[in-house]
Amino acid sequence: MADGCARRSDDARCVMTKVMRAWVVFEPRLITQSPLVLVERPVPIPARGEVLVRVRACGVCRTDLHLAEGDLPPRHASVVPGHEVVGEVVQVGDGASRFRAGDRVGIAWLRHTCGACRWCRSGRENLCPESRYTGWDCDGGYAEFAVVPESFAYRMPTSFSDEQAAPLLCAGIIGYRSLLRAQLPPGGQLGVYGFGASAHLTAQVAIALGAEVHVLTRGQQARELALQLGVAWVGGPFDSAPVPMDAAIIFAPAGELVPLALESLGPGGTLALAGIHLSNIPALDYRRHLFGERSVRSVTSNTRRDGEEFLMLAQRLSLQVTTTTVPFEHADLALRDLAAGRVRGAAVLTLTS
Ligand SMILES: [Zn+2]
Ligand SMILES: [Zn+2]
């Protein structure tokens, strides 16, 4: 379909189709009040240019939590979250020729751009005003099946299992874009605020590129994982970094970290904000937080090129993907654990067919 979304087929067709289980957000509310509901739905039918994927694993991203709690208002009623989907193509829509039944593919956050606007034409399709997103505009992977336009699907690197590959699709790709946006110089000092799914992959890429990485996070488990992965220093989120940073990335959705991270930067340093949602940023003091040509940059989605580059890099660097697997039936509990900071690495829903 033109907007990149395969809507549910009409009632007559639904009766004919098979049924699947899917988690939906009917009405956003606090995760402790169970905004996710497991329902039965018709298996979607791939529209022109789309493929139907049997989901084998789906990563649990903080954006799913923002959607369930309403920090990110759902774009349509009873949307299925999930945009780190690894599965097998089971049906190919009309006009789709890139994949065949049986191919392993990944479905990520970005799923439609116009291809014609000035951002699309200048290699910045992530900023396209017509962009559409999996698990927000269109149904995602907290379901047994999902559809995706084939031009936005990824071939997944073979060295990763389904569970390991899933977090690469958002945590990995967005983290990689954040690293690019942070303009870390070769061999530079990088500060990382928060150490969840995205940060634990991004830190490995930065270290492989010669950076010294300093992690500021509250969780003891997260700090231990960071040290295991070879970071130079760990501390609490409100600690002072041990040396002036050339670049920093805030992965935690906490605006109060922005002044602290800016203060940790040396002259000319850059702070990248990786999240789609951030709580309010306190007032900044020009001399204390910005003077010395320090800058703050946001990160908005990613281009397909970022995705392809990162997936190749992930394979080449043999990134260690730390996952906490959760059965599909417990997706709501996975989001609760994420909200409570109880997940080590990346939470991934697993489906057995
Ligand atoms: Zn566009
Ligand atoms: Zn995500």
Side-chain angles (χ1 to χ4, degrees):
M1 276 190 183
D3 68 352
C5 253
R7 301 269 177 237
R8 267 171 289 159
S9 47
D10 58 47
D11 288 346
R13 281 174 96 189
C14 288
V15 173
M16 310 280 296
T17 55
K18 285 195 295 181
V19 167
M20 67 174 186
R21 292 176 302 160
W23 287 95
V24 300
V25 178
F26 280 119
E27 199 184 328
R29 50 181 182 253
L30 283 178
I31 199 68
T32 48
Q33 296 167 359
S34 306
L36 280 186
V37 181
L38 186 60
V39 299
E40 288 204 331
R41 276 203 169 169
V43 172
I45 296 166
R48 188 169 181 77
E50 290 187 339
V51 291
L52 174 67
V53 176
R54 182 196 303 277
V55 180
R56 295 201 298 232
C58 183
V60 176
C61 174
R62 187 164 288 279
T63 299
D64 307 334
L65 183 60
H66 293 318
L67 183 85
E69 295 200 315
D71 292 323
L72 197 66
R75 293 258 181 97
H76 75 83
S78 61
V79 65
V80 179
H83 53 273
E84 297 182 307
V85 187
V86 177
E88 177 188 342
V89 172
V90 289
Q91 194 185 338
V92 173
D94 289 346
S97 57
R98 195 174 156 213
F99 300 104
R100 289 185 192 172
D103 285 353
R104 184 167 86 144
V105 294
I107 307 176
W109 178 233
L110 185 72
R111 65 184 290 123
H112 173 78
T113 55
C114 79
C117 70
R118 60 191 158 110
W119 293 279
C120 280
R121 283 187 284 115
S122 58
R124 296 177 295 166
E125 66 176 355
N126 59 312
L127 302 179
C128 174
E130 302 293 319
S131 56
R132 299 281 183 275
Y133 301 96
T134 306
W136 190 21
D137 295 288
C138 309
D139 290 336
Y142 284 30
E144 290 172 310
F145 294 87
V147 288
V148 66
E150 65 166 4
S151 55
F152 284 82
Y154 293 93
R155 281 186 201 284
M156 300 308 291
T158 51
S159 55
F160 296 93
S161 68
D162 296 334
E163 289 83 0
Q164 291 173 328
L168 300 177
L169 286 161
C170 177
I173 295 173
I174 300 285
Y176 175 64
R177 185 167 182 90
S178 305
L179 194 58
L180 298 178
R181 295 282 293 160
Q183 297 183 303
L184 179 69
Q189 306 284 336
L190 174 70
V192 169
Y193 290 80
F195 204 75
S198 194
H200 98 283
L201 297 171
T202 310
Q204 293 177 63
V205 175
I207 291 167
L209 298 176
E212 198 152 89
V213 177
H214 308 276
V215 170
L216 299 95
T217 192
R218 62 185 173 181
Q220 192 53 38
Q221 263 196 0
R223 289 189 205 173
E224 283 165 16
L225 177 59
L227 289 171
Q228 261 175 38
L229 294 173
V231 312
W233 178 90
V234 292
F238 302 104
D239 289 347
S240 297
V243 288
M245 300 293 150
D246 297 299
I249 306 173
I250 295 182
F251 288 99
E256 67 266 26
L257 294 176
V258 171
L260 294 168
L262 283 169
E263 264 192 291
S264 78
L265 294 176
T270 303
L271 169 64
L273 307 175
I276 192 167
H277 169 78
L278 193 68
S279 59
N280 286 342
I281 300 173
L284 298 178
D285 178 278
Y286 181 62
R287 180 154 293 278
R288 213 168 130 191
H289 300 126
L290 290 168
F291 194 68
E293 302 197 342
R294 286 167 289 176
S295 47
V296 191
R297 310 176 92 192
S298 66
V299 178
T300 299
S301 182
N302 62 275
T303 64
R304 278 171 283 180
R305 187 178 160 186
D306 296 329
E308 299 292 354
E309 274 179 14
F310 172 73
L311 291 176
M312 276 200 297
L313 200 57
Q315 171 133 312
R316 185 157 64 79
L317 300 178
S318 302
L319 292 189
Q320 184 187 321
V321 188
T322 302
T323 59
T324 301
T325 55
V326 180
F328 169 73
E329 292 75 15
H330 295 155
D332 52 345
L333 300 181
L335 279 182
R336 281 191 195 203
D337 284 347
L338 183 65
R342 288 193 292 259
V343 174
R344 187 166 184 268
V348 179
L349 305 180
T350 54
L351 292 89
T352 45
S353 50

